[in-house]
C-alpha cells in the first residue's frame, strides 16, 4: 500500500507523522510518500491534500501536472482526504472570493465552499466536535478555516458549525475544514485508513 501526501505546501510532515502513528496503532503498514511533482499520484492507493494557502496550492497543482492525476485517482475510486485548503481544492464551486482570486479547484466533490468561512488567521480556534464516526468528542483545530456552504445530493454531511458544513464525504472523498494532523488524536486518520484497509 502506498499513501501519498501532497507536499507542495502546508502541514505535510504533520500528516505523515499522524499516518505513521495511526498505522502503528492499527498494527498495519503502508509506505508513505510526499509528492511535489507529477508521476507519483497514479501509483498511490490513497491521497491526502493538506492545508496551506489554497490559491497557491491550486496554482502549483496545475503547474506541476498533479491536478489531473488527482482527478484520475478519484475516478479510480481511491480514498482522498482534504483538510482545510484541501477541502477548498476538492470543491466544484467557490464563493465570490474564490472566483475573484481565480482559485483553481479540482471539482471532484459536489460542494460549494466559502474560503474564509471562519475568519482570518488571528481568528483561529480549537473546539470540541461531535463526529458521527467517532465514539466521543473530538478536539478540532481550525486555522483560517473554510466551510462548505452548499452540498449536492450525494454528499454526506458529517458535522456542521455556525450553519456551515465542516466535515463531509462523498464516495471515496473525505473533506474536513479543520486540521486532524495537529492533534495527537489519530481517530480521523484511522477513519480515513478504514477506506483503504
Amino acid at each position: 500500500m502506498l499513501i501519498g501526501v501532497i507536499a507542495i505546501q502546508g502541514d505535510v510532515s504533520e500528516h505523515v507523522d499522524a499516518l505513521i502513528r495511526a498505522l502503528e496503532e492499527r498494527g498495519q503498514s503502508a509506505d508513505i510518500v510526499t509528492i511535489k511533482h507529477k508521476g507519483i499520484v497514479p501509483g498511490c492507493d490513497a491521497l491526502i491534500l493538506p492545508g496551506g494557502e489554497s490559491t497557491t496550492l491550486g496554482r502549483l497543482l496545475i503547474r506541476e501536472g498533479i491536478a489531473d492525476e488527482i482527478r484520475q485517482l478519484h475516478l479510480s475510486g481511491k480514498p482522498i482526504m482534504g483538510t482545510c485548503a484541501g477541502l477548498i481544492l476538492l470543491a466544484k464551486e467557490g464563493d465570490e472570493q474564490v472566483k475573484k482570486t481565480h482559485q483553481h479547484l479540482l471539482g471532484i466533490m459536489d460542494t460549494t465552499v466559502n474560503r474564509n468561512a471562519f475568519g482570518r488567521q488571528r481568528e483561529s480556534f480549537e473546539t470540541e466536535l461531535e463526529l458521527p464516526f467517532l465514539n466521543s468528542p473530538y478536539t478540532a483545530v481550525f486555522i483560517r478555516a473554510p466551510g462548505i456552504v452548499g452540498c449536492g445530493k450525494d454528499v454526506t454531511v458529517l458535522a456542521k458549525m455556525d450553519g456551515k458544513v465542516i466535515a463531509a464525504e462523498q464516495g471515496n472523498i473525505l473533506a474536513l475544514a479543520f486540521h486532524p494532523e495537529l492533534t495527537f488524536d489519530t481517530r480521523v486518520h484511522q477513519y480515513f485508513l478504514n477506506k483503504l484497509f
Side-chain angles (χ1 to χ4, degrees):
M1 292 286 181
L2 183 63
I3 304 171
V5 180
I6 298 298
I8 293 173
Q9 190 193 48
D11 294 335
V12 178
S13 63
E14 291 87 348
H15 270 295
V16 170
D17 291 345
L19 284 167
I20 291 168
R21 289 195 314 273
L23 286 162
E24 285 174 354
E25 289 169 11
R26 298 168 74 91
Q28 292 175 311
S29 63
D31 293 318
I32 302 166
V33 62
T34 55
I35 300 168
K36 293 185 180 181
H37 305 288
K38 69 178 182 179
I40 301 170
V41 169
C44 292
D45 298 294
L47 184 71
I48 294 178
L49 288 154
E53 205 291 304
S54 61
T55 307
T56 303
L57 276 167
R59 192 177 306 122
L60 292 173
L61 287 176
I62 297 284
R63 190 182 81 190
E64 295 299 325
I66 299 171
D68 285 336
E69 293 182 340
I70 295 171
R71 291 185 187 103
Q72 288 302 312
L73 193 76
H74 162 62
L75 291 174
S76 73
K78 303 287 175 65
I80 298 172
M81 177 166 71
T83 61
C84 197
L87 171 146
I88 297 169
L89 293 170
L90 293 170
K92 279 193 178 170
E93 292 185 41
D95 63 359
E96 291 76 28
Q97 190 176 20
V98 169
K99 291 170 185 164
K100 185 172 80 175
T101 58
H102 305 289
Q103 168 80 64
H104 294 288
L105 301 175
L106 294 167
I108 60 176
M109 191 171 190
D110 193 6
T111 53
T112 301
V113 294
N114 177 334
R115 200 169 81 175
N116 288 322
F118 294 95
R120 297 283 183 190
Q121 191 84 17
R122 67 181 176 275
E123 289 144 346
S124 301
F125 62 96
E126 289 185 21
T127 190
E128 291 218 333
L129 298 178
E130 295 289 340
L131 298 172
F133 55 88
L134 303 180
N135 295 327
S136 59
Y138 179 84
T139 302
V141 178
F142 289 80
I143 302 173
R144 198 179 170 189
I148 296 173
V149 293
C151 296
K153 62 180 176 58
D154 295 327
V155 175
T156 301
V157 173
L158 299 175
K160 288 178 116 176
M161 180 186 298
D162 298 338
K164 299 168 195 78
V165 176
I166 55 169
E169 58 188 343
Q170 181 179 3
N172 57 321
I173 301 173
L174 175 64
L176 308 166
F178 52 91
H179 290 266
E181 76 282 4
L182 295 182
T183 74
F184 284 100
D185 187 337
T186 64
R187 289 179 294 161
V188 170
H189 284 83
Q190 297 280 11
Y191 181 73
F192 178 63
L193 290 173
N194 288 341
K195 296 176 181 291
L196 180 62
F197 291 100

